[in-house]
Amino acid sequence: MDVPELLESASLLVPEDTATENDITVRDIWDYLAHDEWEIALGLLEELGDARSLPLTFWEKLAEAAEQFRMERSAAWCHWRCSEIRNGVIRADLTLRAAAEARRTTPIHSGVLRPMWDIGHLSSTGGHSVSIAALWVENMPILEPGGRATVRLVPLTPAHWKHVQAGQQITMHEDRTVAGTAVILDVQPPAAVMATR
């Protein structure tokens, strides 16, 4: 499919009553599509997708359109949202340790890092066991050492994270030392799990 077809197809998956924070609706997007304003339409469709839970197909179409436009950050975000639908997502308030206190001396880039997390599991020997989850920093491209931000975590193995709940504190590791501390804000299971509840 070409970009206009992908965007039109994705827009058909958005319920008409969905609106962005600025009250943009799918009808407004159709106007942009009619005037060949595809990049604007893509950005607004992403906003509509963030305002409401939409199917995997929606995000796959947007990812393909963004790739055709060579909009790397947009494509990465759309692929990230596909991962959230498949594996679930945990939102958390993360504080990284300062560069002088931890191994990390460079910023974290969204979607690149898959750190280990101590989420309360014990190993067979009674020591701490860690689980892996990819990390996306919300509303900013990077998080500096010592910084604090809301992050989105996509578990590599969703079953390991079933017990995690809002208010729980977890620690981030890139080696044996603690790289950061996070407080869970929200837990959303994979879409298949949500459909069976």
Side-chain angles (χ1 to χ4, degrees):
M1 278 188 196
D2 63 14
V3 170
E5 291 173 324
L6 288 164
L7 297 176
E8 288 172 13
S9 181
S11 69
L12 292 172
L13 297 169
V14 180
E16 284 190 37
D17 63 339
T18 306
T20 67
E21 289 181 3
N22 298 326
D23 291 325
I24 301 290
T25 66
V26 73
R27 288 183 182 171
D28 298 311
I29 291 169
W30 278 97
D31 288 338
Y32 286 109
L33 290 173
H35 293 95
D36 298 334
E37 298 284 347
W38 300 324
E39 289 183 42
I40 294 171
L42 174 63
L44 292 173
L45 281 167
E46 285 179 32
E47 284 186 49
L48 285 174
D50 293 339
R52 183 178 200 142
S53 180
L54 293 173
L56 178 62
T57 307
F58 171 83
W59 290 104
E60 288 173 336
K61 290 179 185 303
L62 291 189
E64 189 176 339
E67 286 170 352
Q68 287 187 30
F69 272 133
R70 293 185 171 84
M71 297 171 65
E72 291 178 20
R73 179 126 173 110
S74 186
W77 174 243
C78 295
H79 284 297
W80 179 270
R81 291 304 302 268
C82 290
S83 296
E84 288 184 355
I85 292 167
R86 289 184 195 105
N87 295 7
V89 61
I90 294 101
R91 293 182 65 247
D93 181 17
L94 173 65
T95 303
L96 292 180
R97 292 181 68 189
E101 302 170 4
R103 185 184 126 208
R104 175 165 288 281
T105 58
T106 59
I108 290 174
H109 295 266
S110 289
V112 175
L113 190 64
R114 290 181 170 194
M116 299 170 287
W117 298 89
D118 181 347
I119 56 175
H121 289 297
L122 296 178
S123 69
S124 58
T125 61
H128 289 281
S129 177
V130 292
S131 296
I132 297 171
L135 184 149
W136 186 281
V137 183
E138 286 189 357
N139 302 318
M140 55 178 62
I142 61 171
L143 179 59
E144 297 281 349
R148 179 179 175 186
T150 300
V151 296
R152 302 171 81 91
L153 308 177
V154 171
L156 181 64
T157 308
H160 290 186
W161 295 73
K162 284 184 176 179
H163 71 286
V164 173
Q165 57 189 330
Q168 182 177 346
Q169 182 172 309
I170 62 175
T171 55
M172 181 180 120
H173 299 263
E174 294 183 83
D175 57 19
R176 290 182 176 267
T177 62
V178 173
T181 304
V183 176
I184 305 297
L185 302 173
D186 182 43
V187 178
Q188 296 173 23
V193 174
M194 292 186 336
T196 59
R197 282 191 174 180

